[in-house]
Amino acid sequence: MLPALRRCRPGSVPLPALAAALGPGPFPGLCPAWCPRALPARGRKTRHDPPAKSKAARVKLPPPVDPEELLVVLERYRQHRLVLSALRAEFRAEVLQKKQEERLAAEEEEELEEHRRLMAWNEEENGRQRARREERLRKQEEEERRKKLEIAEKQARKMEAFLEEKEKEVLQLQEEAKNFITLENLEARIEECLDNPRNYNFAIDKDGRIVKRTVLT
Amino acid sequence: AFSAGSRLLRGRGGHVVIRFALGGCTNRPFFRIVAANSRRPRDGRYLEQLGCLDPLPNAFGEKVAGLNLERLRYWLGCGAQLSRPAEKLLGLAGFLPLHPMTVTAAERLRRRRQREQQPEAAPADGSARPGTGT
């Protein structure tokens, strides 16, 4: 505010050296707010005209940069951009929410009742399907359990039968083992066999009559 | 006129920009804060006017600007970019955070003023003391 006022006052110009160069101008004694010739501007020449020979030795340097200030400025820019992006995200969310609300309001005006009715029917259907599915699942589970039990029982029975058979065989063997011929019985049994000769011979005729009396006895 | 305008918008590229459109007369600028496609001319067709700025101070020494914050929020939410002077103006208005270069420029100005005051004070002291000494 105040610099603008100061610039409007006559006489005080930021570059007094140029005041004389500018000349009186439209308002003698009053200099304009900004000096247009302080910055480079194309006047006489176009951009395709070559530069003058007096400017051949001119070395254009970039503006000097203070590294501390640069770091400070970069940090400020980073924070500024962070805040800006957050603000933008917030505004975007606002706009989307408004659009959704508008859409919902528009839809409500048109097809409110039908939408609700259809949604309710859909819910009922879902409920029925759920009930059926649960029934089916329950039955399946029961079936599986029953089958498992059966199998287990069968297995148990099989094992029992097997064990019984094995026991029987063992007992039978034990019993037969009493009649076995061992090294100790050998002589006695031989004596016994020799003492009691058995005659296995027999005769049979075509009618099936067996005759056990033979020549040897 | 319709086809000539849409030639700009054919093909890919171009984005919404919130910038200053210059109007007014000779030696009397006046800016309109405007949301426009970036490929339009500066004073050409715009999507919506979001405010105005009078760069010349008024009778009370104030530079007056008007902003439509509601629509600004809408356009920023739609993904509009800002030009640098628009950012600075919104920073000074308080809608956005202050632009870094505003703060930096203020600091530089303050430092320059201090430097100008110190040489004035030092030569003044230097010239005063020999005057009093002799």
Side-chain angles (χ1 to χ4, degrees):
Chain A
M1 177 179 48
L2 289 174
L5 280 175
R6 261 188 232 120
R7 271 184 249 129
C8 286
R9 273 203 325 257
S12 61
V13 170
L15 296 161
L18 286 177
L22 278 172
F27 295 101
L30 173 69
C31 292
W34 26 261
C35 309
R37 289 182 216 175
L39 294 164
R42 283 188 198 289
R44 222 167 57 85
K45 289 188 178 175
T46 51
R47 58 174 29 173
H48 307 289
D49 295 323
K53 283 180 237 168
S54 58
K55 302 283 182 288
R58 182 161 166 242
V59 174
K60 284 196 272 191
L61 295 168
V65 168
D66 184 18
E68 297 170 5
E69 202 191 30
L70 180 68
L71 285 171
V72 167
V73 162
L74 285 173
E75 177 59 30
R76 278 186 196 149
Y77 260 112
R78 193 183 66 83
Q79 284 170 0
H80 177 76
R81 283 195 192 118
L82 208 65
V83 177
L84 266 183
S85 64
L87 279 171
R88 268 188 220 274
E90 218 186 282
F91 295 153
R92 208 178 312 139
E94 263 188 41
V95 165
L96 280 172
Q97 206 204 350
K98 264 189 220 169
K99 271 192 193 158
Q100 274 202 1
E101 276 177 25
E102 262 184 60
R103 195 160 50 84
L104 284 171
E107 278 186 10
E108 274 182 13
E109 284 168 30
E110 291 167 15
E111 297 163 346
L112 178 64
E113 285 297 324
E114 199 178 344
H115 181 74
R116 270 201 232 139
R117 191 165 48 79
L118 289 170
M119 286 299 286
W121 181 80
N122 197 24
E123 282 293 324
E124 280 176 45
E125 270 294 318
N126 284 354
R128 272 177 251 151
Q129 296 259 9
R130 217 178 299 130
R132 265 180 249 150
R133 202 187 316 131
E134 276 171 14
E135 271 289 323
R136 188 165 34 91
L137 286 173
R138 207 162 35 79
K139 279 186 187 155
Q140 270 184 4
E141 274 179 36
E142 282 188 24
E143 277 284 325
E144 277 172 24
R145 243 180 281 137
R146 202 169 45 77
K147 274 186 190 161
K148 270 194 197 164
L149 276 172
E150 274 187 26
I151 289 166
E153 279 174 20
K154 259 196 219 171
Q155 277 277 5
R157 264 180 261 142
K158 273 191 196 168
M159 282 301 291
E160 281 182 23
F162 182 72
L163 286 171
E164 271 190 36
E165 276 201 38
K166 290 298 174 188
E167 288 253 1
K168 261 194 249 172
E169 281 185 17
V170 165
L171 286 170
Q172 210 182 356
L173 204 62
Q174 279 180 348
E175 290 207 17
E176 285 176 14
K178 289 172 196 165
N179 295 341
F180 283 171
I181 302 176
T182 63
L183 285 170
E184 296 108 3
N185 298 357
L186 186 64
E187 308 234 351
R189 290 293 276 269
I190 291 171
E191 297 284 331
E192 197 187 309
C193 288
L194 287 175
D195 289 338
N196 312 337
R198 291 191 61 178
N199 192 9
Y200 290 101
N201 301 320
F202 68 95
I204 189 163
D205 64 0
K206 284 184 194 168
D207 298 327
R209 289 177 289 189
I210 304 169
V211 174
K212 294 252 183 177
R213 199 169 61 91
T214 60
V215 172
L216 287 168
T217 50
Chain B
F2 185 62
S3 64
S6 59
R7 205 161 284 172
L8 279 171
L9 313 177
R10 216 167 280 163
R12 62 168 190 83
H15 47 93
V16 178
V17 164
I18 299 174
R19 60 188 182 193
F20 293 173
L22 180 63
C25 309
T26 317
N27 294 326
R28 190 35 178 117
F30 184 78
F31 294 106
R32 280 168 298 157
I33 300 158
V34 133
N37 192 319
S38 67
R39 299 204 276 177
R40 288 261 179 219
R42 181 194 65 191
D43 302 332
R45 201 163 85 113
Y46 50 80
L47 297 158
E48 190 180 346
Q49 183 178 350
L50 305 169
C52 54
L53 165 68
D54 182 9
L56 302 185
N58 64 7
F60 306 103
E62 302 159 340
K63 285 190 196 169
V64 180
L67 296 167
N68 189 346
L69 296 176
E70 185 61 45
R71 295 305 294 169
L72 253 180
R73 291 170 87 102
Y74 168 76
W75 281 114
L76 285 173
C78 288
Q81 300 293 317
L82 290 161
S83 69
R84 204 171 303 155
E87 261 195 55
K88 291 191 173 166
L89 177 70
L90 290 173
L92 286 167
F95 184 67
L96 295 177
L98 263 186
H99 195 80
M101 293 320 285
T102 318
V103 180
T104 318
E107 281 179 358
R108 284 177 187 164
L109 191 64
R110 190 180 285 187
R111 258 182 264 138
R112 198 193 303 169
R113 285 217 184 108
Q114 281 174 355
R115 261 185 273 130
E116 278 165 17
Q117 275 174 10
Q118 277 164 12
E120 281 174 15
D125 294 337
S127 61
R129 257 189 252 117
T132 51
T134 54

